[in-house]
Amino acid sequence: MTTDNYSILIGKLDEFIRKYYKNRLVRGGIFFIALLTIFFLVIILSEYFGRFNTVTRTVIFYSYISLNVLILWQLILIPAFNLLKLGKIISHEEAAGIIGTHFPEINDKLLNTLQLKMLQDQNPEISGDLIRASIDQKINKLRPVPFVLAIDIKQNLRYLRYALPPVII
């Protein structure tokens, strides 16, 4: 019974982690578009008023390209790789901490459950029925809580105010 409940709990945590990285990807996309267009407008306006020579234009061009590649890497590619479980992703314990801050009724129960299961797995000779019963009890209390509600992707719409004006201009 413990493994079934625990696998359900881990599945819910994995779903939360996927939504966490989707949220970072959406927010990164909005910021990337905003920064790309703002930097483009600044460069175009400075060229219009500055009338730079060829060397200065070349430096500005390659600086613009490298800055945008860096921003693309940080805001879009890293979360996309993490979404595909490539690279360093947040652990279940870190996800439990994020969920615990969002749902006050959970607080440390989720983290304690993960630690109890890890203790049970590391020391099979010590783990008895009491630890298994405690894990089951905590998981049954956590089961009705939808962890994915801790992240609302629609909240990223407020960041559109940074991307829309430069795109419109």
Side-chain angles (χ1 to χ4, degrees), residues 87-156:
K88 186 179 183 293
I89 60 172
I90 62 172
S91 65
H92 290 130
E93 289 81 15
E94 291 170 326
I98 295 169
I99 293 169
T101 58
H102 190 281
F103 295 110
E105 66 272 7
I106 289 179
N107 205 3
D108 290 334
K109 292 177 189 173
L110 183 57
L111 185 60
N112 291 343
T113 305
L114 294 172
Q115 291 170 343
L116 275 175
K117 182 63 176 168
M118 188 170 51
L119 178 71
Q120 180 186 20
D121 292 343
Q122 288 176 351
N123 302 318
E125 67 277 352
I126 309 175
S127 60
D129 293 333
L130 185 61
I131 291 178
R132 272 183 246 127
S134 176
I135 291 171
D136 278 338
Q137 181 184 18
K138 288 179 187 271
I139 290 174
N140 285 333
K141 287 181 182 176
L142 295 171
R143 186 178 283 199
V145 178
F147 297 155
V148 293
L149 293 182
I151 294 178
D152 186 15
I153 293 181
K154 290 180 183 177
Q155 284 186 349
N156 290 322

Side-chain angles (χ1 to χ4, degrees), residues 35 45 60 66 83 86 91 98-99 112 135 143 150 162 167:
L35 291 172
L45 288 174
I60 290 173
S66 59
L83 185 62
L86 300 172
S91 65
I98 295 169
I99 293 169
N112 291 343
I135 291 171
R143 186 178 283 199
Y162 300 118
V167 170

Side-chain angles (χ1 to χ4, degrees), residues 43 58-68:
I43 288 173
T58 305
V59 169
I60 290 173
F61 174 75
Y62 286 115
S63 298
Y64 175 73
I65 296 296
S66 59
L67 184 64
N68 283 323

Side-chain angles (χ1 to χ4, degrees), residues 12-57:
K12 287 175 71 173
L13 279 172
D14 287 339
E15 186 180 349
F16 169 80
I17 291 170
R18 280 190 303 276
K19 190 167 182 183
Y20 174 80
Y21 283 116
K22 285 179 187 175
N23 185 47
R24 286 193 55 198
L25 190 61
V26 168
R27 185 178 305 155
I30 292 170
F31 283 140
F32 176 71
I33 290 170
L35 291 172
L36 178 88
T37 55
I38 288 171
F39 292 148
F40 180 75
L41 290 173
V42 166
I43 288 173
I44 293 298
L45 288 174
S46 63
E47 169 58 29
Y48 179 75
F49 291 114
R51 301 195 187 272
F52 301 124
N53 61 16
T54 306
V55 174
T56 308
R57 285 185 195 161

